[in-house]
Amino acid sequence: EGPGGPPPSQPPHLQQQSRQGSQQAPQPQSNQASADRIYQVVSVSGVVKAEPDIAARMKTKKSKGARFLCSELTVNGWLKLANEPGWLLSYTRYAEGVVDIALPVDSEETVQFAIPRHQAQGICCLEVVFKTGVPVRVSPDRSAATVATRRFGEYVFADAQNFNGWLKLAGEQGWMM
């Protein structure tokens, strides 16, 4: 709890909820398909930005009901579009609570996020707890080249995650699981 009392309710995508829609879903274009998730705009529209920042240049808008593939989620709620460049904010926080912009479409899998809670500052500090250390990979794939190894007890900072448990490191190149 913060100084103003308990935090507002968690955004739905972090509560592992999903909604069903009637529009045909986009199809993944790569063998990374299992890591991508389908989202649907549930508000009047969703603004696609060039970067995951509210002040970034607008690229386009997606109308209510539009579906898109998402490959990554920042810890403060930005969805990285998988088949086109851009980022879409999944929800907006107000004093009264959370308003959804885009939600995951029903899927057979339940996603377990490595960072399950919203991080308003856009970054999360984590401690390495694996005794032999954890490799930092060039991409979120166990067969990707190792660029470094983080040792037991070391702290790392993450600003995004994918849907397969990989964390994107903040302030440096690399992914960790």
Side-chain angles (χ1 to χ4, degrees):
E1 291 187 25
S9 63
Q10 288 296 304
H13 69 279
L14 293 180
Q15 296 173 1
Q16 299 173 357
Q17 295 178 353
S18 60
R19 304 276 196 270
Q20 196 168 6
S22 59
Q23 184 181 4
Q24 179 125 18
Q27 297 301 309
Q29 294 182 346
S30 70
N31 55 0
Q32 181 81 3
S34 65
D36 295 344
R37 291 293 182 267
I38 300 169
Y39 275 71
Q40 181 172 351
V41 176
V42 295
S43 66
V44 173
S45 67
V47 177
V48 177
K49 299 281 193 160
E51 299 294 329
D53 186 323
I54 203 73
R57 179 179 59 81
M58 182 180 93
K59 295 183 72 56
T60 189
K61 283 188 178 184
K62 292 195 176 289
S63 301
K64 183 174 185 169
R67 291 185 175 193
F68 58 95
L69 283 175
C70 173
S71 61
E72 193 176 307
L73 169 70
T74 68
V75 296
N76 60 351
W78 288 92
L79 301 166
K80 183 176 183 180
L81 280 57
N83 292 340
E84 59 186 295
W87 296 80
L88 191 140
L89 192 57
S90 62
Y91 58 89
T92 301
R93 296 172 83 75
Y94 294 103
E96 300 81 31
V98 176
V99 175
D100 299 323
I101 297 171
L103 291 173
V105 174
D106 282 342
S107 73
E108 295 174 15
E109 296 179 47
T110 299
V111 177
Q112 296 292 324
F113 289 103
I115 303 171
R117 295 188 53 97
H118 171 81
Q119 306 292 318
Q121 69 279 11
I123 196 169
C124 184
C125 181
L126 302 140
E127 182 177 10
V128 175
V129 295
F130 196 62
K131 296 286 185 195
T132 59
V134 178
V136 176
R137 307 271 183 189
V138 107
S139 63
D141 185 329
R142 288 178 191 241
S143 63
T146 299
V147 295
T149 299
R150 297 290 180 248
R151 291 172 288 175
F152 174 78
E154 195 171 346
Y155 291 97
V156 296
F157 294 92
D159 59 8
Q161 57 191 326
N162 72 9
F163 300 99
N164 283 344
W166 288 89
L167 298 170
K168 186 176 183 182
L169 298 181
E172 62 181 293
Q173 294 293 320
W175 291 78
M176 294 176 70
M177 184 170 243

